Amino acid sequence: MDTIKKLVLCAVIAVVTFGIGYKVSDAYFGNRTPAQPIEFSHKIHAGDNQIPCMYCHSYAERSRVSGVPNVKRCIGCHSVIKPDSPEIQKLKNYWENKEPIPWVKVYNLPDHVYFPHKRHIKAGLECQMCHGDVQSMDRITRVSSLKMGWCLSCHTRKKVKNGRDCWTCHI
Amino acid sequence: MKRRDFLKYLGSGIVGTGVGLAFGKVTKPPGAKLIPYLIPPEDVIPGVATWYASLCTQCSAGCGILVKVMEGRAKKIEGNPLHPVNKGRLCARGNAALQALYNPDRIKGPMKRTGERGSGKYKEISWNEAVSILGRNLSELDKNGATEGLYVLTSTLRGHLNTLIREFMSSYGSPNYMQYELFQHRNLIYANRVSMGLDAIPHYDIANTRYLLSFGADFSSTWLSPVNLSHGYGEMRQGGARRRGVLVQVEPRLSLTGANADEWVPVRPGTEGVLALSIAHEIVAGGYYKGADASSWKELLSGFSPEHAARVTEVDAGRIHHIAKEFVKTRPSLAIGGDNLSAYRDGLSCLVAVNILNHLAGNIGRKGGVVPNPAGLLKGRTGTELRKDRITALAKSALEGDVKTLIVYNTNPVFTTPAGVKLERALRNVPFIASLSSFMDETTAMADLILPSHTSLEDWGDDFAEPSTGVRVATLMQPAVSPVFDTRGAGDIFISLAKALGGKVGERLNYKGFPEYLKESWRKIYANNKEVAAGALTFDGFWNRLLEHGGWWQTEEPRHKPRSVSVRRVKAHIPTSPSEFEGDEGRYPLYLVTYPHAGYLDGRGANLPWLQEMPDPMTAVVWGSWVEINPKTARKLGIKQGDLVTVESPYGGIDLPAFLYEGIRPDTVAVPIGQGHRLYGRYAEKRGVNPIEILPVAEDKRSGELALNSTRVRLERKGADGKLVKMGVRTEELGRGIVQTITPEEFERIAGKEEA
Ligand code: SF4
C-alpha cells in the first residue's frame, strides 16, 4: 500500500470515529440535570407539600404542552410564603422587573416530533412514568432517553392504537 | 497488515472518537429555554389554536377566512366554510397573506422624508408628529381656501373604510377621492350598465350552467372571484348526478382555464367581439331567438355573417355556427368575458357583445346564467364616481398643479400605469404626498410622509363582496393578532387626522377610533334592516355573531328575475371591427397579450416569497418573467427555449427569457404582469421585468379602463442565457403512453364489435 492510500484510510477512520464520539457525547454525556436560574425544588412543592402537578402545569390536560406556571402564579403564593428566602428574592426581582424566568428545558423534543401531553394524560398515564420521581428531586433530572425506541417500546407494550404508525408522531 | 500500520489506524480512531466527544460537549446548543408568561393572557392556552373569522384582502374578491392563531401569532389561514363566496376554499394568494404580516420589509413606523424626493432617505418620527404634520398641511390648505387641492387615492375599497374616507372628504370640502387598481373591471361594469342597466358585476352562475362560453376569462386563477368561480366550475363538471357541463374557451393565449376546457378557440387577438356578434348572428338567423324584436336584432347583426367573421377572426365559419347552435340549445348556457377581453381598446364593446349573446340565448336572470345581485347593504357606486376616477386625470391635475396634497392608500399606480402616463413626473409636481402603505413601493417612494397602516390580519374593516353570489354578502374583518410593528389602521389614521383638523371634519368623525365607527355603522344597518336583524335579540348579540361567523349573508337561494338587453341601448356600443393595436404591422408583426400572474396579480403579491416560489401553473416558471412564444415563430426568429429576447413596442423595450409555448397563436406573444419591481422589498426587487412599462396609454373614454392589450411588438434575440428558472416539466410523453389514442376507424371497429 502506498502512503496516500494509508493516509486516506486513516482519515476515513478518524471521520467515522469522530461521528461515533459525537453521538456518544450527545447521548450519554449531555447535561441531564441542568442548573436553573432559581433553585426551585420540586421536592418541596410536589413532595413535602403535595401540590398536585397540574396545579402549576395547568395546560397538560388541555394542550400539547403542559405549560410552565406563569410568574404571577409563583408570586401569588410567595408574596406570603417565605418571602425572605434568597431564592424567593430572585423570583421577586424577576416579578418586579416584569421579566419572565428563563427556565432551562430539561425534556426537549425536536420539532419533527409531535408529542401531546393531553392525549397521554387522557390515557391515564402518571406524569412520573416519563418524568420520574419528580417529588423527590430538588433539581429536575431527565430520567428518560426520549429516543424513538423508548417511545415505541411503551406504545408497543400498551398496544396503543396506531401506536407504531410513523404519522402518529411525525406529522 | 503491519503492526505499525495497525497502530496508526488505531491511533487515528482514538483521536477521532476523542475529538468527537469533546466537540459534542462544546458545541451542544445550550439547553433550550422554557419561558413562562409573566401574566397569562386571558383565553390563551399555549399549544391550542384560536381561530378568528375575518376577510381576505389579497384581491378584490372578498373571500371569508379563518386565521389560526397560537400564542398570539398567526400561523395559518384557511377559507371560512360558512362563507358563501369561497365556501371554505382559499387561493394561494390568500394563504400568502401571512407573509405580508410578518414580512421583514414592512415599514415599521411613521417616517418623514429627509433627502430628495425618491431618494429613499427617511427619518423615523412619532405618530403624534406624523399626524400633526399632515394635519397642519391640511389646515393650511383650508386656510387658503384650497380644500379641493386634497386628493385621496385608494384601491377599490367597498366597505366602511370607503364610507369613512368619503365622509372625511365631503366634510373637509374636497370632491377628489379616487380609486384605482389595474384590474378594476370598469369595462365590465360599464358594459353591464349600457346593456342591462346594471351598475354592478352580476354573479356568473357557472355551477349550474351546462355550456360555458368563456371569452378570455381566466376564472381559475385571477378573474373576478377566482375561488368562487373555480368552485362553481368543479360543480359544473362533476357535481352530483348532473351531466358534465361543457367549457369552450376563446382566447389567443391558452390560460389555465383554457387548459381545462373541452375546446380551445385560438381567435385572432382583438376580434373576439366580432366573433361573439357572429355567434349572435347565427342564433338570430337560425330562428332560435323568439323575442318580439328579433327583426331589429337581425338588422343590427346583419354585417356579422360567419363567413365574414371567419376572415376577420380566423375561426372557421362552420365552427362559429356549431358553437352558436350548442350555446343556444344547451340549457342553461352562459357566456362570460374576462380580463383578456376587457383589456382591448374596445374591450367595453366586446363585453357588450357577450351580454348580447346571453340575452339572445335567454341567460340573463336565470339559474345557470347571469344572476344580478340584489342591492347591497350599503349604497352602491354612482355613475359619476366611475366617470371621474381615472388615473390619467389624476396625472393631468398633478401636472397642472391642481393637486396640492395627495394621500395614497393600498394602491401602487406608479407600478401599474404605462410609462406614457408619466405619473411619476406628475407626482413630483405635487407639493405634499402622504402614503399609508405598509411597504416601500414605487409610489410610496414619492411620499414626503409615510404613515404605515396595518396589514389585513391586524386591522378592523368590512367588505361587501362584488360580485357576490346572487345573495347579499357582508364580510367583517377583525384583528387576528396585535400589531407586529408601530402601525395603525387606515381608518384610525383618518379619524386622528379629523381630530387634528377639528372643525366640521372633527365633528363629523368624532369617534374614538375606526372600530367604534365600524360598530356604529353596523348598528345603523342592524336598526334599518329587518332581514339583517332577524334572529338576534340585541345589537350586541348580533355583533358577536358577526365576529364569530365572519360576517352576515343571506342563506336562501338567489331569486331569479329575467332581464333583457334592448337593441336601442346597445346599438352605439357594439364592436364593428377588430380592436385597434398600436405599432405598424410591418415593423411590429406580433400582438402582445399581457395577463395577471396567478400569484402576483397586478404586482402586489411579488413581495411574498411563497408566491415567488410557486411555479406558474401553465409554464412552471418560478421567480422571474418570461415571454411566451409559439415554437413556430421562435424557429423563424432563431429563438430557443430560455434565450434572452427583447420585446419591443413603439413605447420601449424589455429584455426577458423566451418560453416556447404551444398554447399561443404564432402571431401573438404573451408576458405576465407582476414582476419588475424597482422597490417593494427584498423578495420583489430586481426580479423580472414589468411589461406595463411598454404599453400605450389607451384609456376607454366611457369607462376609464386602461387597455393593456393594445399594442403590437417585435422580438429580437439578444443572447443565449435568459436565466429562465422552471420546474422540470416536459410536454413530451417520452413513450410513456400517458395519453392513449386510437384512430377513428379503429374506434368504429371496436364499437361495431361491441354492438354486434
Ligand atoms: S380569491 Fe382573492 S379574496 Fe379570495 S382567497 Fe384568493 S386572494 Fe383572497
Side-chain angles (χ1 to χ4, degrees), chain B residues 55-65 79 85-86 89-95 221-222 224-228 601:
Chain B
L55 164 78
C56 179
T57 60
Q58 295 297 101
C59 84
S60 55
C63 296
I65 54 170
V85 171
N86 56 326
R89 275 72 165 177
L90 196 70
C91 79
R93 294 186 300 276
N95 270 285
S221 46
T222 50
L224 283 189
S225 191
V227 176
N228 178 268
L601 209 67

Side-chain angles (χ1 to χ4, degrees), chain B residues 670-690:
Chain B
V671 180
I673 290 171
Q675 294 277 36
H677 280 278
R678 263 185 295 131
L679 290 165
Y680 198 29
R682 67 194 73 176
Y683 305 112
E685 280 164 24
K686 302 192 188 73
R687 217 179 267 290
V689 294
N690 181 6

Side-chain angles (χ1 to χ4, degrees), chain B residues 307-534:
Chain B
E307 290 70 31
H308 164 71
R311 274 193 304 276
V312 178
T313 63
E314 296 178 11
V315 179
D316 251 22
R319 199 171 188 186
I320 296 176
H321 180 77
H322 178 75
I323 291 175
K325 214 168 116 193
E326 291 283 304
F327 182 68
V328 74
K329 287 198 128 176
T330 318
R331 295 287 83 204
S333 69
L334 170 64
I336 53 180
D339 287 331
N340 188 50
L341 198 65
S342 80
Y344 292 125
R345 200 163 256 249
D346 68 342
L348 198 161
S349 308
C350 295
L351 291 167
V352 169
V354 172
N355 281 345
I356 291 175
L357 273 182
N358 279 324
H359 166 69
L360 294 179
N363 298 339
I364 305 180
R366 295 273 160 73
K367 189 169 178 176
V370 179
V371 183
N373 289 302
L377 292 173
L378 279 189
K379 195 165 78 52
R381 77 169 61 75
T382 61
T384 36
E385 278 161 30
L386 263 183
R387 261 196 304 283
K388 179 172 72 62
D389 284 14
R390 34 191 80 180
I391 201 71
T392 49
L394 177 72
K396 191 158 158 267
S397 314
L399 269 183
E400 285 168 0
D402 293 342
V403 184
K404 303 284 188 256
T405 297
L406 175 68
I407 301 177
V408 190
Y409 171 65
N410 205 23
T411 183
N412 185 6
V414 173
F415 181 80
T416 55
T417 47
V421 178
K422 301 204 177 69
L423 190 64
E424 204 168 340
R425 216 188 80 205
L427 290 185
R428 279 184 200 281
N429 210 23
V430 177
F432 191 82
I433 301 177
S435 168
L436 312 190
S437 171
S438 323
F439 294 96
M440 180 57 77
D441 55 27
E442 288 84 353
T443 309
T444 302
M446 306 295 294
D448 303 282
L449 187 69
I450 303 176
L451 303 118
S453 54
H454 290 332
T455 62
S456 57
L457 298 180
E458 302 161 304
D459 208 355
W460 286 96
D462 59 355
D463 183 50
F464 303 85
E466 178 185 14
S468 163
T469 55
V471 297
R472 292 165 140 192
V473 176
T475 318
L476 200 71
M477 181 162 102
Q478 61 177 317
V481 295
S482 45
V484 180
F485 299 113
D486 187 17
T487 56
R488 286 190 184 173
D492 284 321
I493 296 173
F494 275 98
I495 286 175
S496 48
L497 207 52
K499 279 209 185 91
L501 281 170
K504 227 171 114 197
V505 196
E507 242 166 68
R508 177 85 176 259
L509 297 178
N510 187 15
Y511 296 91
K512 215 172 114 231
F514 185 62
E516 287 71 26
Y517 176 84
L518 187 69
K519 201 166 168 182
E520 281 316 303
S521 309
W522 269 95
R523 200 186 290 278
K524 274 180 222 146
I525 293 179
Y526 173 81
N528 296 334
N529 197 313
K530 281 208 196 71
E531 195 188 356
V532 173

Side-chain angles (χ1 to χ4, degrees), chain A residues 6 9-10 13-14 17-18 21-22 25-26 29 59 62-63 65 69-72 98-105 108, chain B residues 5 9 12-13 16-17 19-21 23-25 27-28 31-40 44-48:
Chain A
K6 276 185 200 162
L9 194 58
C10 269
I13 291 177
T17 48
F18 174 84
Y22 187 83
S25 136
D26 197 37
F29 298 96
Y59 304 125
R62 292 176 287 166
S63 171
V65 298
N70 54 69
V71 186
K72 192 174 162 211
K98 296 285 166 246
E99 267 174 32
I101 308 162
W103 299 112
V104 179
K105 233 173 168 181
N108 200 8
Chain B
D5 284 345
Y9 298 142
S12 56
T17 321
V19 173
L21 267 172
F23 190 71
K25 202 80 186 116
T27 59
K28 239 189 95 105
K33 291 284 193 291
L34 205 53
I35 307 292
Y37 278 119
L38 198 64
I39 302 167
V44 167
I45 300 177
V48 177

Side-chain angles (χ1 to χ4, degrees), chain B residues 456-755:
Chain B
S456 57
L457 298 180
E458 302 161 304
D459 208 355
W460 286 96
D462 59 355
D463 183 50
F464 303 85
E466 178 185 14
S468 163
T469 55
V471 297
R472 292 165 140 192
V473 176
T475 318
L476 200 71
M477 181 162 102
Q478 61 177 317
V481 295
S482 45
V484 180
F485 299 113
D486 187 17
T487 56
R488 286 190 184 173
D492 284 321
I493 296 173
F494 275 98
I495 286 175
S496 48
L497 207 52
K499 279 209 185 91
L501 281 170
K504 227 171 114 197
V505 196
E507 242 166 68
R508 177 85 176 259
L509 297 178
N510 187 15
Y511 296 91
K512 215 172 114 231
F514 185 62
E516 287 71 26
Y517 176 84
L518 187 69
K519 201 166 168 182
E520 281 316 303
S521 309
W522 269 95
R523 200 186 290 278
K524 274 180 222 146
I525 293 179
Y526 173 81
N528 296 334
N529 197 313
K530 281 208 196 71
E531 195 188 356
V532 173
L537 289 178
T538 61
F539 174 70
D540 284 326
F542 169 73
W543 182 250
N544 284 341
R545 208 174 55 192
L546 268 189
L547 292 174
E548 210 174 291
H549 288 192
W552 175 89
W553 37 81
Q554 290 175 318
T555 44
E556 70 241 37
E557 282 282 299
R559 265 179 238 130
H560 299 293
K561 208 170 97 215
R563 271 180 193 246
S564 59
V565 174
S566 71
V567 176
R568 187 179 49 80
R569 281 189 120 146
V570 296
K571 218 191 236 145
H573 294 286
I574 60 166
T576 48
S577 54
S579 194
E580 284 167 31
F581 287 82
E582 295 202 18
D584 169 61
E585 231 182 308
R587 183 164 160 70
Y588 300 103
L590 301 162
Y591 294 104
L592 173 66
V593 166
T594 52
Y595 62 92
H597 182 278
Y600 321 133
L601 209 67
D602 55 2
R604 69 181 73 172
N607 63 342
L608 310 178
W610 282 345
L611 298 180
Q612 286 278 0
E613 278 168 26
M614 181 178 80
D616 172 71
M618 291 313 294
T619 62
V621 177
V622 289
W623 297 327
S625 295
W626 66 93
V627 50
E628 289 160 21
I629 310 170
N630 187 291
K632 274 190 214 144
T633 316
R635 209 173 312 128
K636 245 191 275 162
L637 296 168
I639 295 170
K640 289 205 192 58
Q641 176 87 305
D643 280 358
L644 187 68
V645 295
T646 304
V647 179
E648 190 196 312
S649 84
Y651 297 88
I654 46 176
D655 294 343
L656 65 179
F659 181 84
L660 305 195
Y661 186 44
E662 268 98 1
I664 193 162
R665 287 170 55 95
D667 61 356
T668 308
V669 296
V671 180
I673 290 171
Q675 294 277 36
H677 280 278
R678 263 185 295 131
L679 290 165
Y680 198 29
R682 67 194 73 176
Y683 305 112
E685 280 164 24
K686 302 192 188 73
R687 217 179 267 290
V689 294
N690 181 6
I692 303 169
E693 281 171 14
I694 62 161
L695 299 180
V697 186
E699 205 176 46
D700 193 293
K701 300 242 157 27
R702 296 158 290 182
S703 68
E705 184 110 317
L706 283 171
L708 300 175
N709 297 345
S710 58
T711 186
R712 265 187 284 262
V713 293
R714 60 195 297 258
L715 293 186
E716 203 174 311
R717 183 173 181 278
K718 252 199 126 183
D721 190 11
K723 299 206 175 66
L724 183 72
V725 186
K726 67 193 261 295
M727 304 287 280
V729 174
R730 297 200 73 127
T731 44
E732 304 90 17
E733 281 192 278
L734 301 174
R736 287 173 293 175
I738 295 168
V739 180
Q740 305 270 343
T741 53
I742 57 169
T743 60
E745 295 80 43
E746 206 177 333
F747 176 73
E748 259 159 38
R749 201 169 44 81
I750 298 170
K753 233 189 231 160
E754 270 176 14
E755 264 168 41

